[in-house]
Amino acid sequence: MYAKSNPSDARVNNRRLLFRLLFPDRQLSRADLCKETGLSRATATDVTGEMIDDGLLRELGSRKRDGRGKPDTLLAIDTDVLRLICIDLSRPYVITGAVMDLRARIVERRERVLDDGDRVDLDDVLSLVGQMIRLASSGLVGIGVAVPGVVSGAGRVISSSNLGWDDVELRDMLEGEFSLPARVDNDANAALLADHFLGHGNPNCLLVQITRGIGASVLLNDEFVDGDDHAAGEIGHVVIDPNGPACTCGKRGCLETYVSAIALRDRIRRDPNRRADILAEAGARLGEALAMPVSLLNLHDIAVYGPPDIVGETLLNACDETVNSLSRNDYQSGMRVRRCELGDDATLRGQAVSVLREIVGGRGLHAATTQVDKSCLEAAQLDGCSKLRCY
């Protein structure tokens, strides 16, 4: 049976297409948008007008024009009205929250140090989301949480050995608690979104995230590879040495026992004179693990994201040398192993991009203009603010 076309699908796709062309900081006229997309002037005018009404875009004024004719009005992402709340659970010993604008920039940021090592309690997450809502000074349109582990497309945390979570309906919990649409994604996927839209990523890229554990994300022709069980990229618990150290997952010798930030910092602390050797060994181990998948998928771009004391030239050079020596052949040019250079907030910013991709299609935005949830008003301490947008 073939699915019937739905006119609303075209509308949603057009909104996302125009938003992506302007994101994060381009300024284009409606004529420019028509030229780059092939949309008619009437369609572009209708869609951009709707997006302006929703608080997604704004008009900047007229562009200087040589010769005769009416000057074009430039459009850009509106960063004044709408806000997102994003939470990053990927880093050891701390969870981070932020209020973000529609260009995935941080407006307010708070951190909460974990009392119980690297275990995260759900109440801590909900409490931090509530704190960020109180800090927001504008319309709230969505919540995003980046989680280390396997996350379903419906926002259920299937498994996160680092957090000690199994089968947690996190998206439903967030939406029920705060009456806002929520996105829950794998942390490496979030980092790859940031690298792709805000950094130097390519349409075909593999990103490895080294933080609390180690995970990966793959982009092929601008599309994520999720896998049948939503576990694509979960390389951290692949055993590379059956006689290696015990892992949090219950096995021995998993990749993350050798390459995670926690494991490497612990080894360096116990033997600081061998710091360079330890990092080079970790880079070589990572290169060995990546040689097969990058050859299988014919990838040339490998980004590594993590703290600068770990993901520096020593580890990257060793990884680059190893992966190229093991996978180079006569018909495939060399891979490039590079550092993702978006700083500590790459996962937060990428999670904001994920939320934006959801809400730009219009989920809840029209209802937001006519309905304000009382609990959100009270939580955000915005008495009588008519700009607060809830779902």
Side-chain angles (χ1 to χ4, degrees):
M1 180 182 292
Y2 294 98
K4 294 182 178 179
S5 62
N6 187 336
S8 67
D9 293 340
R11 168 190 158 277
V12 168
N13 289 335
N14 288 337
R15 286 167 64 100
R16 288 175 175 163
L17 176 62
L18 297 181
F19 191 89
R20 179 168 180 174
L21 284 174
L22 292 164
F23 184 82
D25 54 12
R26 294 184 75 191
Q27 300 178 6
L28 298 173
S29 68
R30 290 174 177 83
D32 295 329
L33 293 172
C34 292
K35 185 181 300 183
E36 293 199 28
T37 64
L39 294 175
S40 69
R41 184 62 181 256
T43 298
T45 299
D46 180 59
V47 174
T48 55
E50 182 182 85
M51 295 173 74
I52 290 170
D53 291 340
D54 285 342
L56 296 170
L57 304 182
R58 63 178 174 181
E59 294 184 335
L60 298 179
S62 299
R63 175 171 54 191
K64 291 183 179 179
R65 181 187 180 98
D66 295 330
R68 298 179 178 178
K70 183 180 178 180
D72 292 331
T73 300
L74 294 175
L75 300 172
I77 305 297
D78 192 335
T79 58
D80 293 336
V81 178
L82 305 180
R83 293 290 183 262
L84 319 170
I85 303 296
C86 291
I87 306 293
D88 177 14
L89 304 181
S90 69
R91 298 166 64 196
Y93 310 119
V94 66
I95 59 177
T96 307
V99 180
M100 321 280 291
D101 69 14
L102 296 195
R103 286 173 57 185
R105 300 180 305 184
I106 293 175
V107 179
E108 294 280 357
R109 172 195 173 100
R110 294 292 185 273
E111 292 183 346
R112 184 162 298 188
V113 177
L114 301 173
D115 295 327
D116 185 20
D118 60 351
R119 296 289 170 167
V120 176
D121 190 276
L122 281 168
D123 288 340
D124 289 332
V125 178
L126 297 177
S127 175
L128 185 56
V129 172
Q131 180 183 4
M132 302 318 300
I133 288 176
R134 289 191 294 272
L135 288 172
S137 60
S138 225
L140 301 174
V141 291
I143 301 169
V145 181
V147 177
V150 181
V151 181
S152 77
R156 176 169 61 95
V157 181
I158 299 170
S159 175
S160 177
S161 58
N162 287 301
L163 301 183
W165 293 0
D166 287 295
D167 199 25
V168 177
E169 297 284 357
L170 186 55
R171 190 188 75 176
D172 289 348
M173 191 179 301
L174 290 165
E175 293 188 345
E177 183 77 14
F178 300 106
S179 300
L180 288 163
R183 283 282 311 181
V184 179
D185 296 284
N186 171 268
D187 58 341
N189 283 1
L192 181 53
L193 275 175
D195 186 69
H196 184 60
F197 285 99
L198 304 168
H200 304 288
N202 293 306
N204 298 289
C205 179
L206 185 151
L207 180 139
V208 177
Q209 177 161 284
I210 301 175
T211 49
R212 182 191 298 273
I214 177 170
S217 182
V218 179
L219 203 63
L220 291 180
N221 299 320
D222 265 341
E223 295 289 341
F224 276 111
V225 177
D226 290 324
D228 288 339
D229 301 311
H230 308 285
E234 287 297 308
I235 62 173
H237 298 290
V238 173
V239 174
I240 61 173
D241 180 4
N243 299 315
C247 181
T248 56
C249 72
K251 296 182 290 189
R252 304 191 68 89
C254 292
L255 180 62
E256 77 171 34
T257 64
Y258 291 96
V259 186
S260 72
I262 291 176
L264 290 173
R265 283 169 174 161
D266 185 57
R267 290 185 61 193
I268 292 169
R269 177 184 57 78
R270 289 186 275 110
D271 195 357
N273 292 328
R274 293 193 63 248
R275 181 179 184 276
D277 292 337
I278 291 169
L279 292 175
E281 178 188 339
R285 292 268 194 183
L286 181 59
E288 291 170 0
L290 295 180
M292 182 66 74
V294 297
S295 295
L296 178 68
L297 300 174
N298 189 29
L299 298 174
H300 294 167
D301 187 22
I302 303 171
V304 184
Y305 172 59
D309 62 311
I310 300 298
V311 183
E313 288 188 7
T314 301
L315 184 145
L316 292 171
N317 289 341
C319 182
D320 186 282
E321 181 179 346
T322 302
V323 74
N324 276 288
S325 67
L326 294 177
S327 58
R328 185 179 292 121
N329 49 53
D330 293 338
Y331 51 84
Q332 183 173 348
S333 58
M335 291 81 174
R336 177 180 64 129
V337 179
R338 60 180 174 84
R339 174 177 167 77
C340 174
E341 299 179 346
L342 292 174
D344 292 340
D345 297 322
T347 304
L348 276 175
R349 300 187 70 196
Q351 191 59 37
V353 173
S354 179
V355 177
L356 284 169
R357 295 171 89 192
E358 179 97 349
I359 68 169
V360 164
R363 183 187 173 200
L365 282 172
H366 296 297
T369 62
T370 59
Q371 180 180 357
V372 177
D373 187 279
K374 183 179 179 183
S375 64
C376 286
L377 280 170
E378 293 172 347
Q381 296 179 350
L382 295 172
D383 296 335
C385 176
S386 61
K387 290 184 178 180
L388 183 62
R389 305 202 172 190
C390 301
Y391 294 75

